[in-house]
Amino acid sequence: MSNYHSSLPDYVMAAIVGGYHGDPFAVLGAQADGPERVVRAFMPNAARVTLLTPDGETPMVRVHVGGLFEAPYPPQATAYRLRVLWPTGVEQELEDSYRFQPEFAELDTYLMAEGTHWHIYRQQGAHLHEIHGVAGVRFTVWAPNARRVSVVGDFNQWDGRRHPMAMHRSSGLWQLFVPGLGEGTIYKYEVKSHNQDYTVLKADPVAFFAEMRPNTASIVWDIDKYRWNDADWMARRPQRHALDAPVSVYEVHLASWRREQVGDAWHWLSYEELAAELVPYVKEMGYTHIELLPVAEHPYDGSWGYQVTGYFAPTSRHGTPEQFMAFVDACHQAGLGVILDWVPAHFPKDQHGLAYFDGTHLYEHADPRLGEHPDWGTLIFNFERNEVSQFLISNAIFWAEKYHIDGLRVDAVASMLYLDFSREPGQWIPNRYGGRENLGAIRFLRRFNEILHELYPDVLTIAEESTAWPGVTAPASEGGLGFDLKWNMGWMHDMLRYMSNDPVYRAYHQGTLTFSLLYAFSEKYLLPLSHDEVVHLKRSMLDKMPGDVWQKFANLRALYAYQYAHPGKKMLFMGGEIGQWQEWSEARGLDWHVLEWDEKHGALRDLVRELNGLYQDLPALHAYDHSWDGFTWLDIHDARQSVVSFLRLDPRSGQSIVVVCNFTPVPRHDYPVGVPAAGVYRELLNTDDARFGGSGVTNGPLEARAEPWVNQPYSLRMTLPPLAVVYLRPDGAA
């Protein structure tokens, strides 16, 4: 063996040792060497390597000083192992990755190359795998323009030369099976580019778990071991998500809903603790759904989750993937749906993330006029690239399939639709027709909604879209974007503007109050009072309200009751239900102590609970949210006294609710309200009720008389409580 010489050219050996050979399976492992066979292994720093076969042991020859070893391979041998002696004196027996050829499935690679593989997570990422009885992990990543991609981790001292991957040329996928690895292995990809040998460590774009920030590596994890217990919920979900079903959403940032004190430090609740505390609370409050600010892995707490680096990994801040599954399962068993905030519009520039992934602008546009978001300092996905849209659509399907998620609220849709969004002239590039519409993003959104609804027709998609773009909730087949619901940002901004006015001036802004009904049925809307409205010096919901403390609470009660009576599904951000005084901050928990300081906060929460109950129990308040058939103005003309009244209807059952709103602090006695039918009307809800913290101005039974009023054949005379909303129902109604 002392005279043994490898037939490998020097430049090939140098490429392997230097870590820039693009086809390691052509060199390493068992190879034909003329009429003979050899095994080659690259083990830098190894003191000795021995080839083990069923026929015995063969010392391997160091054919390159950098650590390339070679030995003859018996012609009858079908398997081998390696025994490695390290300089520390530790000896290991190892399986060789290069004994196992890549397993690129023809259909997978074809669909990947075509950009129509809607389940890339079944192939890409790190999967526990077994080949010929040998267990390990199969790694697959998309990096079509890389010169070389390697898997690195503690298992190879983060040396990118040790485990270079094989590339499938037509699809741009790289793959390697590493024997002996298991769940919990920490890893990254080392990507060497053709761009001046630029080399970078990247987290796995399809990793299922990630390290706790500030660490950024991916973690091998088995996400198929959890056993779900939500079959009843999943079977009934289509009925719960029908257009005529009540949808009342509690929006939550998991890390700041409540904090736990351990010693002198405050810690986030785990997924298990959230399942035990948050889920019963939301259920008891009468909500139908929890909406979570993004839970996908993100490095920066202050982004609230909106700058995602791990699209397929629930954040490790609260626990493991199966613990998040158990949280979702607990929601379902409590009868609560789970909606995730989903961020396909942009991603951060963090080096370990998607940016400049393979030494090229792979996921983002190269031109900053298309590829950079001027407000957020983030990068914009290149929706014109089929593989990028495929990545995002697969991610949406992933959350529905693997985590049983019930809906996706798509963030910042307006920024996706318009090429000139938040840009000055000269800072954007028109589309091929000279317009400002982002044709690739439009095509992506339609495709996303079509594919997701084809596979999961009862998973809601909700657009946060703030412009007058037509057809956001119209089917894609009819030229719409295909969403189920759209946030009614116009209603939210108008109502908060109206309510922030001192009541003295509201008479001059009656149109602001009523304007939303001019377009209320142009889309299928959800009425949000979201996290964005209680940060960045916008003040908390309670503190937005004018007047003294009593008036602030009264105004907020009236706002909530008006929201629940207005057509559209409902949403309130956490803390709003207790009248938190401070603005929300991701760095602390909600101010739950206010419930102990002042009973008005608990009384406000009681009102929200009752509103949720009425909203779910009364079809008139939810069954016709998207049609004039469920709404009639009774009187919008009394601007001088800031009073409006309207009717909510369920034509199928004939149920009707009269809603009367007084947005001034002045009680109105003997006030006429037109109604469509005779009979006795009784209060279902009065936000001025003393049990909600009001002054107690209420009405007993009210008889409607045949005295026409504002186009209604009957009218009743009632006392309007100050800064209050009253729901009335005809006596005897079911």
Side-chain angles (χ1 to χ4, degrees), residues 506-525:
R506 287 177 180 166
Y508 307 103
H509 300 278
Q510 188 89 337
T512 303
L513 176 65
T514 61
F515 180 70
S516 60
L517 266 299
L518 293 179
Y519 61 86
F521 310 114
S522 61
E523 301 277 8
K524 301 175 185 69
Y525 282 116

Side-chain angles (χ1 to χ4, degrees), residues 199-219:
T199 305
V200 66
L201 287 177
K202 291 289 187 179
D204 189 344
V206 191
F208 302 138
F209 195 28
E211 286 187 297
M212 171 74 76
R213 60 98 177 103
N215 295 329
T216 57
S218 303
I219 304 175

Side-chain angles (χ1 to χ4, degrees), residues 138-155:
R138 187 193 67 205
F139 298 92
T140 310
V141 64
W142 180 58
N145 306 304
R147 184 179 186 182
R148 184 262 293 164
V149 181
S150 298
V151 186
V152 294
D154 292 336
F155 55 90

Side-chain angles (χ1 to χ4, degrees), residues 92-111:
Q92 282 182 299
E93 260 193 38
L94 305 171
E95 294 282 359
D96 182 11
S97 286
Y98 300 96
R99 184 164 78 84
F100 306 94
Q101 290 294 314
E103 300 177 324
F104 291 111
E106 184 176 350
L107 178 60
D108 283 340
T109 53
Y110 173 78
L111 294 175

